[in-house]
Amino acid sequence: MRVKFLFYTLIAFLFHPCVFAQKAKDIREYKERADAVRQEVWNWDIPAFKKVPALPADDKSSAVVIARHMDLKASSSRKIKYIGIGFKVQKDIFYSSTAREMVKLNDKAALDEYSQFSFSKFRSLNSYFHKGLATTIVGVRIIKPDGAIKEVNVDEEQVNEEEGKQQKSKLAIPDLQVGDVIDYFVRVEELKDINSPVDAQTFVLGDDKPIMQYSVHCEISDKYFVRYRTANGAPDFKVKKDDDGAVFDLLVKNIPSLPVDLWMSPYRQIPMIRMDILFGTRLEEGQKAGEIRHNPVPAEAKDVAIKKLVADVMPFWMASGGLKNGVKDLMKQYKSENGKKVPEDSLASYIYYAFRYLAFYKVEEKDKIVVGQDRNNAIPDNKKFLQFLHEVFRGLDVRAEFVLVTSRYGPGQAELLNSEDYEYMLRTQSAKPLFMSADGVFTNCNYVPAEYEGQDAPIVDLKNYGQFKGKRDVPPGVEVKLKETTADENTQIEQMKISLNEDMQLVNINRHTVLKGNLRQGEQKRLLLFEDYYEEERKALGVRKSIFEQFSDTRGKNTLPNEYKNAFAKAREEQKDHFNEEIKDQFDVAAKELQFYNIEKMGLHHTDPDFVYNTKFTLEGLVKRAGNNYILEAGKLIGSQLKVKPEQRDRKVDIYQPFARSFEYDIELAIPEGYSLEGADKLNRKVDNECGSFTVKAAVEADKLKLHIRKVYKNSFVPVAKWGNLLQVIDAASDFENQKVLFKKA
């Protein structure tokens, strides 16, 4: 059962690491407020929510959104009666966002999607700079086919749980059935001080299900500055000024469904309106309260991004001394261990890896012991990482410049709204520039994350600005086009030797896997052990002491070596589970027995980037007996293939694939003694066009069936006019999955 987390604009509100300590008085006030909000929302004067319309009998959609309404209010708290639970400030702002949706459920998939909600009643907004509290209120009604309305008693049905430091309420919807209409809302109310940001708003006019009516109503005080952008053909608000500020209204009807879960870039393809609401200390230069700025010039976002970058780097320059000295110390150890300095032509990359080691791998005595997947899956703060790295480069006389990048899955250069639409990369100023980022703890030097490939990126040389001004290397306004990787650079190569056991029921697989390029990091995060990659990186950088040597205590008082030893042993035991997960994901069936697994190459450096591992295991369920003969599901030996849903085949939007990529399988299948093989010739096929290819070459040689299979997606972007070509490749691979061969008794 999948938990319904609402839609785009509310996901961030339902989960948050900070929670509010709940007292009996708080719970009582919350219930009183929740009752008042439910009465208010259910009585909204919006005709689309008052009656369930007749829907076309031939509609094949899993669900239909009859009505979706977004209501936003931003004002001073002194103008409202309810000012929050257990929260008092002298200068504050009030913000509320309500999303209400009425949905007809047409099948089991839709029923599962809407059968449960998860939310946090209280969420603290406190930090060093900010103070505030958010509350979340949920209301749910079920409308039966005969028109009967049943309101869910949220207080009775919800189950409170704790996950880590987070308290959550899970609400199971009772008596919800296919054919019902669910009418629900989520209200988030926030009271905060003037230093706190108001959440960015995104009104997305599209979904994976048709929307009969989408409406928006915003009331924003003239104490705020508002900027918004209508993108991808979205209609504009009707804006009306009043004594308190401005009212924004929008009404759109009959929005068709979109294949949002199949290769789309919503920010570039779905009509939407993005809105920023700024107040007090959040105002930027040239902005004033009460101003409304529609479709600001994209250059504004770029100029602000550069100003913020210049302003932010200065504190990092002052704080980077320790890191610079740490890198210098590693360089000295490298010289001592290797008898030579770091080569000049690899100095920049050595500094990058040394800095990565200090930031993500090196452990200190006071650190919490984290050696499992949590460490591998940590998401670095890319901007801070690069700002520190830039200053380390400056201190070691390596020239580098910032590059402002935009994601293929974010707004394009002509659709920017604010400076946060940009991310950073670093590029060395050298004959062969190296690009650098911190996409994850296994990101290599000279790696451009797939989402930035092919994008035009402004270069920012700090020598053009402020306190860094000097002899510049790159004049302002210069851009670089980021390289796109090819299908051969992003590839999965599988070599498999396969046999059947004596009773012909189990398939024995001895497998060698190579992952290259953008296909590498996901499995590195799943399969690598910190103990192993720490040790490999330590030796590569010339670091003398291992973790155990670093924390050894001749007096025997330091327990850290034993604590790490135990943690490493536990992580190594869990590694088998992770390999089992990888096999199940690849073959769509769990291994009957995993007999062997190991990592051959970790792929930690751009000079040796491939991730290579071996597995030996058995699978069951792929062989069926037919009299004295046996049928093998040969097509399933390369795992499950993408299947395009019927409603997705008639596509009207361009295709944004993650990156060009290829999958190659060399399979050697032993034919059991006493049997011959039939059907090999039917495995052969070839589809090859400008969008991709799928080829199978099958041949029986002596007592073996040899298969060479290759699937290629040639481009990261495919115009919709060529969707048919891509479908040919997808369908060929999907059809192959169903192919079988016969082992015939001699």
Side-chain angles (χ1 to χ4, degrees), residues 179 220 280 295 383 408 420 425 429 551 590:
I220 303 176
N295 287 349
K383 289 183 177 178
R408 297 172 66 244
E420 296 305 309
M425 291 191 72
Q429 295 173 337
F551 296 132

Side-chain angles (χ1 to χ4, degrees), residues 187-249:
R187 162 75 63 85
V188 176
E189 296 183 332
E190 297 183 359
L191 192 66
K192 53 182 76 176
D193 64 30
I194 60 173
N195 297 315
S196 304
V198 174
D199 299 290
Q201 306 299 311
T202 306
F203 305 106
V204 184
L205 308 181
D207 206 335
D208 61 351
K209 49 188 75 71
I211 304 172
M212 297 179 67
Q213 177 171 308
Y214 187 113
S215 54
V216 180
H217 178 76
C218 305
E219 298 177 14
I220 303 176
S221 165
D222 58 10
K223 302 295 184 184
Y224 298 84
F225 166 84
V226 177
R227 65 179 168 213
Y228 70 95
R229 179 174 295 285
T230 49
N232 308 321
D236 195 1
F237 287 118
K238 290 183 178 179
V239 183
K240 183 176 67 175
K241 290 270 194 174
D242 60 23
D243 292 340
D244 292 329
V247 177
F248 300 75
D249 282 299

Side-chain angles (χ1 to χ4, degrees), residues 63-80:
V64 176
V65 178
I66 296 168
R68 179 179 291 175
H69 181 74
M70 309 296 294
D71 182 271
L72 173 73
K73 291 182 174 60
S75 64
S76 170
S77 64
R78 65 178 177 272
K79 294 186 178 181
I80 61 170

Side-chain angles (χ1 to χ4, degrees), residues 162-444:
E162 286 200 23
E163 293 185 9
K165 296 180 179 179
Q166 190 169 188
Q167 293 177 318
K168 293 194 297 186
S169 296
K170 289 191 176 181
L171 175 64
I173 310 301
D175 194 31
L176 187 64
Q177 299 173 340
V178 173
D180 290 348
V181 171
I182 184 169
D183 181 4
Y184 72 95
F185 75 86
V186 174
R187 162 75 63 85
V188 176
E189 296 183 332
E190 297 183 359
L191 192 66
K192 53 182 76 176
D193 64 30
I194 60 173
N195 297 315
S196 304
V198 174
D199 299 290
Q201 306 299 311
T202 306
F203 305 106
V204 184
L205 308 181
D207 206 335
D208 61 351
K209 49 188 75 71
I211 304 172
M212 297 179 67
Q213 177 171 308
Y214 187 113
S215 54
V216 180
H217 178 76
C218 305
E219 298 177 14
I220 303 176
S221 165
D222 58 10
K223 302 295 184 184
Y224 298 84
F225 166 84
V226 177
R227 65 179 168 213
Y228 70 95
R229 179 174 295 285
T230 49
N232 308 321
D236 195 1
F237 287 118
K238 290 183 178 179
V239 183
K240 183 176 67 175
K241 290 270 194 174
D242 60 23
D243 292 340
D244 292 329
V247 177
F248 300 75
D249 282 299
L250 179 74
L251 177 63
V252 183
K253 294 187 176 183
N254 299 321
I255 301 172
S257 61
L258 290 167
V260 295
D261 57 350
L262 182 63
W263 298 336
M264 282 194 69
S265 176
Y267 277 93
R268 300 194 179 194
Q269 293 184 288
I270 301 179
M272 67 173 63
I273 301 176
R274 299 175 61 213
M275 176 185 284
D276 286 340
I277 304 170
L278 305 178
F279 181 85
T281 59
R282 313 299 297 191
L283 290 177
E284 299 165 358
E285 184 179 346
Q287 299 171 349
K288 59 182 181 180
E291 180 186 356
I292 299 172
R293 196 173 295 177
H294 176 219
N295 287 349
V297 178
E300 290 182 16
K302 177 182 172 182
D303 292 342
V304 173
I306 293 173
K307 288 178 182 177
K308 284 187 174 180
L309 172 58
V310 174
D312 289 346
V313 166
M314 189 61 184
F316 288 93
W317 172 72
M318 293 186 290
S320 64
L323 289 168
K324 182 178 67 177
N325 291 334
V327 172
K328 281 184 174 180
D329 181 61
L330 292 179
M331 292 170 68
K332 290 178 183 177
Q333 292 188 52
Y334 178 92
K335 181 180 178 182
S336 174
E337 293 294 306
N338 293 277
K340 60 180 181 179
K341 291 183 179 180
V342 176
E344 192 65 30
D345 60 357
S346 58
L347 178 60
S349 60
Y350 179 91
I351 293 173
Y352 173 86
Y353 290 121
F355 189 77
R356 185 185 69 174
Y357 168 82
L358 293 173
F360 306 138
Y361 299 0
K362 182 176 171 56
V363 294
E364 301 290 349
E365 189 171 353
K366 64 181 181 301
D367 292 346
K368 181 180 178 181
I369 297 177
V370 180
V371 300
Q373 282 193 340
D374 285 349
R375 191 179 199 103
N376 295 1
N377 291 321
I379 301 174
D381 187 322
N382 179 67
K383 289 183 177 178
K384 288 183 179 178
F385 179 93
L386 294 181
Q387 287 165 339
F388 270 123
L389 179 58
H390 179 271
E391 294 312 296
V392 171
F393 274 148
R394 282 213 313 149
L396 296 172
D397 297 322
V398 174
R399 295 186 303 167
E401 61 212 7
F402 283 95
V403 179
L404 300 181
V405 292
T406 52
S407 170
R408 297 172 66 244
Y409 298 102
Q413 293 277 0
E415 301 283 359
L416 301 177
L417 180 65
N418 56 56
S419 61
E420 296 305 309
D421 289 339
Y422 282 111
E423 243 315 335
Y424 299 163
M425 291 191 72
L426 271 184
R427 189 180 82 149
T428 58
Q429 295 173 337
S430 54
K432 294 182 179 179
L434 299 174
F435 286 88
M436 301 178 184
S437 68
D439 194 45
V441 298
F442 301 116
T443 303
N444 285 344

